[in-house]
Amino acid sequence: MNLSLGIMTLTPQVTNEYFLEIAKRSLSYPIDLYLFSPQEISPLNETVEGLHFDRVTGKWEKDAFEIPEYIYDRTFYQYDMKSRQAKAVVQWLKNQKQFRFLGYGLPNKWHLYEKLKQTSLSPYFPETFLVSDVNHLLNLLVKHTDIIIKPVDGAHGFAVYHLVVRPNEILVRTTKKQGIVEQSFQSEENFLKWGEHILKQHTFICQKRLLNQTKGNAPFDLRILLSKDHAGQWREFQRAVRVGEENGILTNISRGASYLSYSDWKNTHELISWDFIEEELTSILEELPLLLEEHFSTLFEIGVDLIIGKDHSTWILDMNSKPGHKIVDALQPEKLSSLYKAPLDYCEFLSSQSLSSLKRGDF
Ligand SMILES: Nc1ncnc2c1ncn2[C@@H]1O[C@H](COP(=O)(O)OP(=O)(O)O)[C@@H](O)[C@H]1O
Ligand SMILES: [Mg+2]
């Protein structure tokens, strides 16, 4: 009997290219592929309405089916009611022993930091504070003068604020659709009012702003995509450099940053001591996935954001268990076929493993 693998997303659309390419490849695997939203699950009879990839027509077809045994979780939550409900269903699903996720996800940025700070990789994490209230925020700002605050459960550069103390003002900068928006506060009182308002909306963490500007004063970072192969072994799949807007804050591709080939970047930035940096990167990338799985839960792929500072220091800034795959498409199209096969290969591998080796995480 074929295995059943369901791609889970809040927006199951036949037009999604990544899903369609995986689906096409599924035909040469003993895997039946489905695409569904957690919102369409009825937990009572464990069925779901969605799409299944028809092996005869080679197309997504509407269908009602049993919840697939294997699940590739590609849900991206927002802060609305719909997301909250979907999250609860997914949590329920994760706790059901009869279903197996390719990856069980990562906890929020603060939990990640708290755990990883106690590991061998601790020197690579920028010091991070959980902002407890607006006076705490002001103290952190006065002490460090140039900081970034971002929601503990943020993604895609959402609600990332850059705060700077200047002689007679506090400058707050953030990224909106139209670009960078700045607000200057000349009195502590006004700043505190703003801070109170912002802290009501999300729980924030705070870090010193790392200096990661190019000569053109655009922020840049490294995005490395790690994933498991057909034997369940971690491998580096892709490495890219992301460059944000001039004078900008973010390097997220979803916020318009461009991406460049790592080797091209290296060749045009010869002054940087790449040998040293690469040695560090190698050891970080070897250890990180294993540490994450040891401390949290089983994963299938990880997108790691790394910043290389002006002083050539290397920092692990962010880890994503549901990374984007655009960088592969644009930079190494010859790898696309193996990108699309990866979830299928890994699903087959999982089916050969005993259930007891699975770590579902407890968050
Ligand atoms: N401490 C920091 N110093 C400099 N830039 C930062 C810092 N924290 C975040 N950024 C910028 O903001 C972007 C988004 O932050 P990140 O921690 O990756 O959260 P997410 O991508 O989940 O929104 C980063 O890619 C980076 O460009
Ligand atoms: Mg990020």
Side-chain angles (χ1 to χ4, degrees):
M1 218 177 74
N2 277 356
L3 303 172
S4 62
L5 171 65
I7 303 173
M8 188 169 66
T9 163
L10 295 186
T11 50
Q13 284 158 352
V14 295
T15 48
N16 183 300
E17 210 180 314
Y18 178 57
F19 300 157
L20 183 62
E21 292 297 333
I22 296 172
K24 285 184 194 159
R25 289 186 180 66
S26 74
L27 299 181
S28 44
Y29 286 76
I31 297 177
D32 290 328
L33 204 71
Y34 299 87
L35 181 60
F36 68 93
S37 161
Q39 292 178 290
E40 301 304 324
I41 288 180
S42 80
L44 270 186
N45 45 11
E46 295 189 359
T47 56
V48 55
E49 279 180 33
L51 301 158
H52 95 260
F53 198 70
D54 192 295
R55 300 188 87 89
V56 178
T57 61
K59 285 192 179 128
W60 289 114
E61 309 280 359
K62 272 201 173 147
D63 200 359
F65 40 86
E66 285 183 6
I67 300 174
E69 183 181 358
Y70 294 89
I71 295 174
Y72 182 23
D73 183 2
R74 294 292 296 174
T75 50
F76 296 102
Y77 303 111
Q78 282 164 351
Y79 293 95
D80 54 8
M81 198 58 185
K82 180 178 158 179
S83 285
R84 233 178 293 154
Q85 286 167 343
K87 239 185 193 171
V89 175
V90 173
Q91 197 48 55
W92 168 82
L93 209 53
K94 282 184 176 170
N95 290 326
Q96 303 299 304
K97 300 272 180 290
Q98 66 273 39
F99 307 118
R100 298 173 72 172
F101 282 54
L102 301 195
Y104 281 86
L106 290 169
N108 73 38
K109 294 182 199 297
W110 176 246
H111 285 143
L112 272 171
Y113 174 75
E114 275 192 310
K115 266 273 153 54
L116 294 172
K117 198 59 202 162
Q118 297 166 32
T119 66
S120 52
L121 289 183
S122 89
Y124 297 108
F125 294 99
E127 191 174 13
T128 302
F129 306 90
L130 186 66
V131 180
S132 52
D133 58 44
V134 71
N135 291 312
H136 183 213
L137 178 61
L138 183 61
N139 288 341
L140 287 166
L141 178 57
V142 170
K143 183 161 171 220
H144 299 289
T145 66
D146 189 4
I147 62 173
I148 294 276
I149 62 167
K150 50 195 170 187
V152 284
D153 55 355
H156 300 140
F158 176 77
V160 175
Y161 293 90
H162 174 206
L163 279 53
V164 210
V165 189
R166 298 253 180 88
N168 292 310
E169 64 166 358
I170 292 173
L171 190 65
V172 174
R173 306 170 70 232
T174 193
T175 318
K176 298 271 177 193
K177 272 206 186 75
Q178 64 272 29
I180 292 283
V181 192
E182 295 189 351
Q183 201 172 346
S184 161
F185 298 96
Q186 262 103 38
S187 77
E188 219 174 86
E189 196 191 333
N190 284 345
F191 171 77
L192 290 172
K193 253 191 223 149
W194 173 84
E196 227 161 70
H197 174 71
I198 254 352
L199 295 183
K200 259 191 212 138
Q201 298 176 1
H202 306 286
T203 304
F204 282 88
I205 52 169
C206 166
Q207 297 166 338
K208 252 197 216 177
R209 187 185 197 206
L210 300 166
L211 298 177
N212 61 331
Q213 276 67 32
T214 63
K215 281 201 196 85
N217 206 29
F220 79 98
D221 68 0
L222 289 184
R223 166 43 84 92
I224 299 181
L225 181 62
L226 305 170
S227 66
K228 280 185 180 165
D229 64 12
H230 65 282
Q233 296 296 314
W234 284 104
R235 62 184 162 177
E236 177 176 332
F237 197 90
Q238 171 83 302
R239 192 179 282 202
V241 174
R242 308 186 295 185
V243 185
E245 277 172 46
E246 196 182 324
N247 299 320
I249 303 166
L250 306 174
T251 49
N252 301 74
I253 288 168
S254 52
R255 294 307 197 96
S258 46
Y259 31 105
L260 310 168
S261 133
Y262 172 78
S263 51
D264 288 354
W265 183 267
K266 228 175 90 172
N267 293 336
T268 51
H269 293 77
E270 285 167 357
L271 285 180
I272 299 183
S273 43
W274 287 107
D275 285 350
F276 176 72
I277 289 169
E278 283 183 347
E279 232 171 80
E280 290 203 303
L281 288 178
T282 307
S283 73
I284 290 174
L285 297 172
E286 256 169 38
E287 283 178 62
L288 187 63
L290 305 178
L291 284 177
L292 290 174
E293 289 197 300
E294 180 191 325
H295 289 289
F296 304 109
S297 48
T298 302
L299 299 165
F300 159 58
E301 56 186 348
I302 312 167
V304 191
D305 302 343
L306 294 138
I307 281 186
I308 296 174
K310 283 227 161 70
D311 55 358
H312 301 178
S313 51
T314 308
W315 301 98
I316 306 172
L317 192 70
D318 189 28
M319 288 146 280
N320 306 268
S321 59
K322 297 169 189 170
H325 304 98
K326 279 206 188 101
I327 54 168
V328 184
D329 200 351
L331 298 176
Q332 277 181 297
E334 70 278 8
K335 276 192 182 169
L336 280 176
S337 180
S338 91
L339 175 78
Y340 301 135
K341 284 187 196 152
L344 302 161
D345 284 337
Y346 186 60
C347 179
E348 267 200 312
F349 166 77
L350 271 186
S351 74
S352 71
Q353 294 300 103
S354 73
L355 268 176
S356 58
S357 59
L358 191 68
K359 252 187 118 179
R360 287 167 191 270
D362 51 2
F363 43 87

